[in-house]
Amino acid sequence: MLLFATAALEELPRGAVFNVTVFGDSTTTLFSRHVRKTPRRLRAAVAFLRACKANLGTTNVEAVLAAAGWRTRAGASVAYMLISDGEFVDQERVVETACRDSPRVFCFGVGDHCQRHHLVHLARATRAAACFPEAKRKSTWQVCVCVLCVCV
């Protein structure tokens, strides 16, 4: 998952606005607000991801998206990349809120335990796409990362 997230950050165009939030039962966000991509901020984001440890538990996706600032940026050209390797709670409420606030949530399920059905439902409901790359086959997730960066 680390390689996939790092590749996605690297593929963002220079000057794109981004932030990184890691999650499980709780969330931790790198920057206090969305920032423009620069080489220094990219290095900080990659270091942040490398320092993260697994946060086991059920994922509160609504809290993740709120931490990412989706409500404050609604109406702008916003897209989120959600990488999940497990299950998340309150799927219907997450979809309803996402549809109301209009972010595009591109969903990537990694591993055998991700909830494919719910990730696909969330992505479709927000006019985005879902992808399920094989972690051990780089060719399957490189294509997903490139497609994400073109769609954003």
Side-chain angles (χ1 to χ4, degrees):
M1 199 158 26
L2 171 64
L3 290 174
F4 185 75
T6 301
L9 286 170
E10 290 171 349
E11 290 294 324
L12 287 174
R14 184 178 175 93
V17 177
F18 79 102
N19 205 344
V20 179
T21 300
V22 295
F23 57 91
D25 283 336
S26 61
T27 62
T28 305
T29 302
L30 174 58
F31 301 110
S32 61
R33 59 180 170 73
H34 293 82
V35 296
R36 294 227 176 262
K37 180 184 172 188
T38 64
R40 182 179 56 81
R41 289 179 176 146
L42 175 61
R43 286 190 302 275
V46 171
F48 176 75
L49 288 170
R50 285 188 178 140
C52 291
K53 302 292 182 226
N55 185 345
L56 304 175
T58 301
T59 304
N60 182 345
V61 175
E62 191 170 14
V64 172
L65 296 174
W70 69 337
R71 289 186 179 90
T72 60
R73 297 193 48 89
S77 180
V78 175
Y80 293 97
M81 184 175 101
L82 175 69
I83 304 172
S84 177
D85 64 353
E87 61 181 80
F88 58 95
V89 296
D90 297 325
Q91 296 92 355
E92 288 306 316
R93 190 176 74 211
V94 168
V95 170
E96 288 172 17
T97 304
C99 289
R100 184 179 64 240
D101 290 342
S102 301
R104 295 175 73 196
V105 183
F106 291 86
C107 298
F108 298 86
V110 179
D112 296 332
H113 302 290
C114 68
Q115 288 184 315
R116 289 176 178 250
H117 171 74
H118 297 299
L119 292 172
V120 168
H121 184 57
L122 175 59
R124 286 183 180 162
T126 59
R127 303 165 326 279
C131 180
F132 302 93
E134 296 175 42
K136 296 186 186 224
R137 291 184 55 209
K138 190 174 184 179
S139 62
T140 64
W141 52 262
Q142 280 181 317
V143 173
C144 293
V145 168
C146 290
V147 169
L148 168 76
C149 292
V150 169
C151 293
V152 171

